[in-house]
Amino acid sequence: MKVNIKLDNKSTNSYLVYINELEKIELDTKVAIVTNPTVSALHVDTLLSKIKARECHVITVPDGEKYKNFETVNFILEECFTKRLDRKSILIALGGGVIGDMTGFVASIYQRGIDFIQVPTTLLAQVDASVGGKTGINNKFGKNLVGAFWQPRAVYCETNFLKTLPKREFSAGVAEIIKMAITFDKDFFQWLETNSLHVEENLQLAINKCIDIKADVVARDEREEGIRAVLNYGHTFAHVIENETKYSKYLHGEAVAIGIVMANVLASKLDLLSEEESQRITSLLKKYDLPVTYPIDSVEKFYDTFFLDKKSFNKKIKFILPHKIGNFCIKDDIKKDILLSVLGEFK
Ligand code: NAD
Ligand code: GLY
């Protein structure tokens, strides 16, 4: 199956997401695969066997969110120069969202920008991170605060790669699937409640569905000037949790799961979501062993950290909230005392 990411921005081209269609990648140029030791040991040979290029290099960086930083970006850049990649060369990201985000960012700045291809190997990256051209890294001020919109030239989602994924990582990807269902598709949410994603056929359907949703959102709003922000449901809370726990306690998808529950408490207070709907969402998250609570140490400190988020503007924080299951609303005028009372429920 192929999904077209249709873009009308004159500086970026539309591209295809190939789902289970990685036969051969033929490129009449130099190529460098960027990966990490974990993924390389499992899957780089499969990818290498599919690539036909003038030269094909492998650049290996340390594994982990804590390495999604300037130092690693600089290392990749230096490897690109050492291997004499030119402006026609192509980077291929083989890995999860961390590798994809960093490789895309390097592609956006190497010699003022070269092409890159995404080959996502985690569920989270297949259903979300690899599509849509958000690239970037973290710094001490927070997550993904430095980066660029830089669209890949193609995305190859191979569900076979997911077979080696640890259970916790699988569940982290499910959190993003649930996120998309809650905000965009009531029927999909109901289907998730009654079908297990541990069944291969169901997983395939869910991946296709999420890529379809993401394709539609990105086509309508490439640069996140409107509807694309909805994909950040749960993330305003999640980013604070990740920041407070120094990216080491929770996987990104796990932090998103907690963030979804926190956003739901807020939505319930604003009468956007019923208690029953909120419970259904929490149950679905729990079904995949996702965390649904977080002990907030200081609500004031948690609140202040909101303002480091990219979505904070003019001292206002943007919250994406579910409006019943299957619909959303965006609020940037929530009073501080309401937010503190939501956070107080997690003390
Ligand atoms: P990740 O990239 O850290 O991968 C998770 C772990 O799984 C790593 O240890 C990795 O080595 C390992 N791994 C990857 N593929 C594997 C496989 N097939 N088998 C076994 N192990 C495998 O984490 P992630 O959850 O994929 O991505 C999270 C990152 O994505 C965050 O940095 C987040 O900010 C970013 N993200 C970006 C976007 C976007 O639109 N650009 C969207 C969502 C998330
Ligand atoms: N994952 C959020 C986005 O792509 O916009």
Side-chain angles (χ1 to χ4, degrees):
M1 174 177 156
K2 294 182 195 65
V3 179
N4 193 358
I5 310 295
K6 292 190 206 115
L7 302 171
D8 58 7
N9 182 334
K10 290 194 176 46
S11 62
T12 50
N13 293 317
S14 301
Y15 55 95
L16 291 174
V17 180
Y18 299 88
I19 306 173
N20 289 334
E21 290 201 8
L22 176 50
E23 300 297 331
K24 201 105 209 126
I25 303 180
E26 293 196 29
L27 301 162
D28 186 20
T29 179
K30 289 187 187 183
V31 165
I33 298 171
V34 181
T35 188
N36 68 35
T38 317
V39 179
S40 175
L42 295 164
H43 302 301
V44 83
D45 288 343
T46 306
L47 182 59
L48 282 168
S49 72
K50 313 252 180 208
I51 293 175
K52 194 161 164 251
R54 284 199 189 170
E55 281 174 30
C56 189
H57 301 276
V58 178
I59 301 173
T60 310
V61 302
D63 185 4
E65 182 81 36
K66 71 170 188 257
Y67 298 105
K68 189 177 159 184
N69 56 26
F70 262 123
E71 206 183 332
T72 312
V73 161
N74 197 39
F75 172 80
I76 302 170
L77 285 168
E78 289 190 355
E79 287 287 290
C80 293
F81 286 111
T82 309
K83 290 166 183 15
R84 298 185 186 276
L85 298 195
D86 53 35
R87 296 186 72 185
K88 296 251 184 266
S89 299
I90 295 176
L91 296 182
I92 302 184
L94 175 71
V98 168
I99 290 288
D101 281 12
M102 269 194 303
T103 307
F105 182 47
V106 171
S108 77
I109 55 177
Y110 184 72
Q111 299 196 3
R112 298 214 175 86
I114 60 172
D115 279 347
F116 85 116
I117 290 173
Q118 290 268 21
V119 183
T121 60
T122 63
L123 181 56
L124 184 141
Q126 295 198 354
V127 297
D128 191 354
S130 64
V131 179
K134 274 191 184 175
T135 74
I137 52 171
N138 311 323
N139 67 8
K140 70 175 182 184
F141 295 97
K143 208 170 145 55
N144 299 331
L145 291 181
V146 177
F149 283 98
W150 194 253
Q151 298 292 342
R153 176 166 152 173
V155 181
Y156 293 90
C157 283
E158 289 296 298
T159 45
N160 255 338
F161 287 140
L162 302 180
K163 292 194 172 130
T164 55
L165 204 58
K167 184 173 168 286
R168 225 181 124 193
E169 296 291 350
F170 181 86
S171 291
V174 174
E176 302 277 9
I177 294 177
I178 295 173
K179 168 197 85 175
M180 297 221 191
I182 299 166
T183 39
F184 289 109
D185 196 324
K186 173 163 78 54
D187 295 341
F188 183 35
F189 184 85
Q190 277 166 0
W191 180 87
L192 286 171
E193 288 184 298
T194 49
N195 291 280
S196 168
L197 294 178
H198 294 301
V199 175
E200 189 155 344
E201 197 186 325
N202 293 340
L203 180 64
Q204 186 63 65
L205 273 167
I207 292 172
N208 294 355
K209 182 85 197 164
C210 287
I211 295 175
D212 273 342
I213 293 174
K214 183 123 191 205
D216 178 54
V217 171
V218 173
R220 285 156 72 188
D221 178 22
E222 185 189 347
R223 297 282 168 132
E224 198 173 304
E225 282 148 355
I227 193 172
R228 185 163 179 174
V230 177
L231 296 171
N232 298 317
Y233 166 44
H235 286 57
T236 308
F237 295 95
H239 286 172
V240 179
I241 293 169
E242 288 182 286
N243 187 297
E244 282 195 347
T245 53
K246 307 206 172 355
Y247 308 104
S248 56
K249 184 162 183 202
Y250 299 103
L251 302 176
H252 175 68
E254 292 174 336
V256 168
I258 303 169
I260 286 175
V261 175
M262 289 181 167
N264 291 354
V265 173
L266 178 56
S268 295
K269 275 196 194 305
L270 302 174
D271 285 332
L272 295 167
L273 194 70
S274 70
E275 196 49 45
E276 186 255 341
E277 288 171 308
S278 192
Q279 279 310 323
R280 279 173 61 198
I281 295 171
T282 303
S283 300
L284 186 54
L285 294 167
K286 279 180 161 172
K287 187 168 135 189
Y288 290 95
D289 296 324
L290 286 159
V292 292
T293 191
Y294 170 77
I296 295 181
D297 195 26
S298 157
V299 291
E300 283 286 348
K301 192 166 144 266
F302 196 104
Y303 176 83
D304 285 343
T305 313
F306 279 143
F307 293 94
L308 291 179
D309 199 274
K310 290 188 297 305
K311 267 75 74 182
S312 147
F313 185 67
N314 259 350
K315 295 197 180 149
K316 287 182 173 174
I317 322 154
K318 199 188 273 180
F319 287 93
I320 314 304
L321 300 172
H323 188 190
K324 302 197 183 334
I325 289 173
N327 219 331
F328 60 83
C329 76
I330 303 177
K331 295 248 176 219
D332 68 357
D333 57 353
I334 312 242
K335 300 246 175 336
K336 180 175 176 179
D337 59 332
I338 296 184
L339 286 169
L340 292 184
S341 85
V342 169
L343 299 177
E345 295 195 20
F346 290 85
K347 267 182 89 69

